[in-house]
Amino acid sequence: MTDTNPINILQDKFYKIKPAVRWCFFSILISGFVFHFASMTQKYFNYFEMGNIFSHMPFLQGDTLALGRWFLPVASNLFTYYSMPVWNTVLVLCYTGLAMGMVVDLMDIKSRFLGVMFGLCFASFPGIVCVLSYGVNSDDFSLALLLAVLSAYLVEKTKFGVIWGAIPLSMCLAAYQPYMSVTIGVIYCILFAYVIDKRPGFKQLVMKSIKAVAMMAAGFILYYAILKICMSVTGIGLSDYHGVDSMTSFTIKGIVKGIVYAYIYLLRYFLTKAYLYSVTAIVAHGLAIVAFVVLAVKLALSGKKETSWVTLVETIILIVVLPIGVNASPVLMADRVGAGVDRYMLFSLMLIWALLVFLLDRSSYEKGTRAAIWVGLAAMVVTIFVSNLVDQKAYYRMDATTQSVEAMMNRLAMRIEETPGWRGDMPVCLIGSNAIINDNYDVTVEELESVENMPGTFYRQGYSDEAVEQYFRVFLHFPMEHAGEEIKQNILKTPEYRKMKTYPDASSIKIINDTLVVKFEEE
């Protein structure tokens, strides 16, 4: 008789999941609560969050469609369109855990311990801090990461994978385009595992690669077709932000440049202080590279002598192109790579640890590999420690930024209240809130500036008039009625305004035409 108890059914399905996959997921979830505890217990305010305070992202928001992200407003409405630290962090960790669990499944990792180690490496990745710093959109970026991995999972695990994989890939591109590099990275991991485990001939390897390329091409075509339809219906054009308006434009020079940058950014991340700030981690990574090559070559030669040379050549080829395989973002950006590659675009680089875990899982503890195994494990431990240290430094800076924002807003509120003639029902005209941090507040704190390449965690201009007004109303319970564009234009023409200096000068706040005016920068 079939068991119809839903609890038993779910329990049965849960235990059918490979142990290493389960352990990887829960290691990311649990360790993530520790590594990113600060994100769950503190409401941070930075330039991005200030622009999205209790901000609802509607289905056809113009700026998201202009960036080519037609799925982003949909993703925002799946669970929450509010910035809620605990919920956002939980969603980010769950999406990340599910994604990396699929990677462990695809590579058929059998060791629970190694599943946990890979989970810890990924959960401590500082790029997650950058994603979480985007508050209301953090879970959307992580959903894009999950969709990127799901597309590779479906092309490998389903009969019509080219079709099924294209659907989540198109949605991934429509949420955050750079995460297509994660799809490429996972496919690279699949091919690497395929060579070591199945020892295919060149023809079989090429055919498997072509299937994956076909899925990615189908996914991009589907994404672009839907984008064109949305643009045609709404009349919205693509933005020139990071070259989005020319996203299908590639030149030979741009592609070559992207390939070169793929190698450069991989080496910068693992072998320089640009991202790690730690000589210890650089040394550990250097040794891990040696261990990686030793284990890969050893496994390639461990099969039958008549076929091992084919496997060895395939393995060497894969190692040579590894920087492109796990770091395709610069290649995808091609001519636009000069716009920069931020840390949260480098999630695919963390798949290197999946490759190392795979090699450790397949290697036997014998003479010739013992040292490499220990070095590989030690490198992972060092990476987890150093990455978590970077995480906490970034959260420390985010806390300092938040306190600075709160202090500035409180001081501004006090200045407004002290202005002779001010009334609570008086319209307020904020001119140039983007420069609320101007030359008068140009203070450098070396301890905070030392954490580089952590977008979203630093102190910078970008505070819109609407964001400041919303902050006053919501968090300070301060009456601030928006003056409107017509009133603003009339004020800009007055002699009184032209005599005003920028905030925080004593003349930066005045009442003009029964409107309170605060001048942050020259219009």
Side-chain angles (χ1 to χ4, degrees):
M1 182 177 179
T2 304
D3 190 348
T4 57
N5 186 322
I7 295 177
N8 292 339
I9 293 173
L10 291 173
Q11 182 176 335
D12 182 59
K13 290 185 178 297
F14 175 78
Y15 283 110
K16 284 183 179 179
I17 300 172
K18 296 175 183 176
V21 175
R22 298 199 306 265
W23 283 63
C24 176
F25 172 80
F26 285 110
S27 70
I28 289 177
L29 194 62
I30 296 170
S31 68
F33 291 153
V34 177
F35 297 149
H36 307 290
F37 182 74
S39 174
M40 302 177 68
T41 57
Q42 174 70 27
K43 175 68 176 176
Y44 292 114
F45 290 114
N46 54 20
Y47 68 96
F48 187 87
E49 187 71 346
M50 280 290 289
N52 289 277
I53 297 171
F54 284 85
S55 176
H56 171 195
M57 299 192 70
F59 185 75
L60 290 177
Q61 187 173 352
D63 59 349
T64 57
L65 189 56
L67 292 174
R69 302 174 187 175
W70 50 259
F71 186 69
L72 186 58
V74 181
S76 298
N77 286 276
L78 285 178
F79 292 105
T80 173
Y81 46 69
Y82 292 117
S83 176
M84 299 183 290
V86 173
W87 186 234
N88 292 143
T89 305
V90 170
L91 281 176
V92 167
L93 294 176
C94 283
Y95 287 151
T96 304
L98 288 171
M100 294 311 109
M102 283 191 284
V103 172
V104 169
D105 186 34
L106 285 168
M107 302 191 76
D108 195 24
I109 305 299
K110 296 176 174 61
S111 168
R112 293 176 174 86
F113 173 75
L114 291 175
V116 170
M117 290 297 291
F118 175 55
L120 292 174
C121 284
F122 217 95
S124 61
F125 174 50
I128 293 179
V129 179
C130 298
V131 169
L132 288 170
S133 74
Y134 284 89
V136 68
N137 287 143
S138 60
D139 52 311
D140 306 331
F141 283 109
S142 296
L143 179 58
L145 176 71
L146 175 60
L147 290 168
V149 177
L150 180 61
S151 63
Y153 190 86
L154 291 176
V155 77
E156 176 68 11
K157 293 288 187 176
T158 61
K159 185 176 181 181
F160 300 103
V162 172
I163 298 173
W164 296 120
I167 297 172
L169 180 58
S170 69
M171 292 189 289
C172 165
L173 289 166
Y176 193 58
Q177 296 96 336
Y179 284 172
M180 185 177 181
S181 63
V182 177
T183 302
I184 295 171
V186 176
I187 289 171
Y188 177 88
C189 289
I190 293 171
L191 294 175
F192 195 94
Y194 179 61
V195 166
I196 297 297
D197 282 345
K198 304 299 182 182
R199 317 186 77 77
F202 291 112
K203 182 179 179 180
Q204 293 95 319
L205 181 61
V206 170
M207 293 304 295
K208 194 174 184 68
S209 302
I210 289 174
K211 180 182 177 182
V213 171
M215 182 277 292
M216 288 187 288
F220 185 84
I221 291 170
L222 178 60
Y223 154 73
Y224 203 66
I226 296 175
L227 176 62
K228 284 294 187 181
I229 293 172
C230 292
M231 291 168 58
S232 177
V233 171
T234 62
I236 295 172
L238 285 176
S239 164
D240 60 357
Y241 176 72
H242 283 198
V244 174
D245 55 341
S246 58
M247 66 174 71
T248 58
S249 175
F250 293 92
T251 65
I252 298 298
K253 180 181 178 181
I255 294 173
V256 172
K257 181 180 177 183
I259 292 173
V260 172
Y261 269 81
Y263 284 82
I264 290 174
Y265 273 105
L266 182 140
L267 294 174
R268 283 188 70 202
Y269 192 92
F270 289 106
L271 296 177
T272 74
K273 294 179 70 174
Y275 289 90
L276 299 171
Y277 331 123
S278 169
V279 175
T280 303
I282 295 172
V283 172
H285 289 160
L287 293 173
I289 292 171
V290 175
F292 184 98
V293 173
V294 169
L295 293 176
V297 171
K298 184 76 174 178
L299 286 168
L301 294 173
S302 63
K304 297 179 180 178
K305 291 184 179 180
E306 57 270 22
T307 59
S308 60
W309 72 271
V310 175
T311 304
L312 179 61
V313 171
E314 290 173 340
T315 302
I316 292 173
I317 292 173
L318 286 174
I319 291 175
V320 170
V321 300
L322 182 146
I324 301 174
V326 299
N327 186 32
S329 286
V331 181
L332 296 173
M333 296 176 76
D335 298 272
R336 295 165 284 127
V337 72
V341 180
D342 294 327
R343 193 188 287 260
Y344 56 85
M345 296 179 185
L346 299 174
F347 271 92
S348 57
L349 275 182
M350 294 300 100
L351 293 171
I352 284 183
W353 299 114
L355 292 169
L356 181 58
V357 160
F358 168 79
L359 293 174
L360 291 170
D361 189 66
R362 295 298 191 271
S363 298
S364 57
Y365 190 71
E366 58 185 25
K367 187 177 180 180
T369 59
R370 292 176 188 173
I373 289 173
W374 280 108
V375 167
L377 290 173
M380 295 179 79
V381 171
V382 171
T383 296
I384 294 164
F385 177 80
V386 171
S387 296
N388 182 46
L389 192 61
V390 175
D391 292 344
Q392 303 317 311
K393 287 182 178 179
Y395 282 125
Y396 173 74
R397 179 164 66 187
M398 288 171 68
D399 182 59
T401 301
T402 299
Q403 292 186 44
S404 297
V405 169
E406 291 174 344
M408 283 196 302
M409 295 304 164
N410 287 331
R411 291 199 302 272
L412 178 57
M414 183 181 68
R415 291 280 302 275
I416 291 174
E417 288 177 329
E418 291 178 345
T419 302
W422 175 78
R423 305 186 314 273
D425 61 347
M426 180 177 288
V428 176
C429 183
L430 302 177
I431 299 176
S433 295
N434 180 68
I436 196 170
I437 311 167
N438 53 33
D439 293 338
N440 296 315
Y441 284 125
D442 187 14
V443 178
T444 299
V445 181
E446 185 176 343
E447 291 78 7
L448 300 181
E449 297 297 326
S450 64
V451 183
E452 300 175 348
N453 292 306
M454 290 293 292
T457 71
F458 45 74
Y459 205 36
R460 58 167 279 185
Q461 296 184 1
Y463 302 93
S464 68
D465 298 345
E466 294 78 9
V468 174
E469 291 170 5
Q470 185 78 326
Y471 184 98
F472 268 71
R473 287 192 290 267
V474 174
F475 292 98
L476 299 183
H477 204 64
F478 190 99
M480 186 167 282
E481 180 183 344
H482 185 63
E485 187 61 27
E486 184 178 351
I487 293 176
K488 177 181 177 181
Q489 292 304 318
N490 290 332
I491 288 173
L492 293 176
K493 300 173 184 177
T494 63
E496 293 93 332
Y497 171 76
R498 287 193 288 271
K499 292 179 181 178
M500 294 173 66
K501 294 183 179 180
T502 56
Y503 186 85
D505 188 85
S507 66
S508 62
I509 302 178
K510 279 187 178 181
I511 295 177
I512 303 175
N513 297 340
D514 203 37
T515 300
L516 183 93
V517 180
V518 185
K519 183 179 181 180
F520 294 104
E521 67 177 351
E522 297 292 344
E523 185 68 15

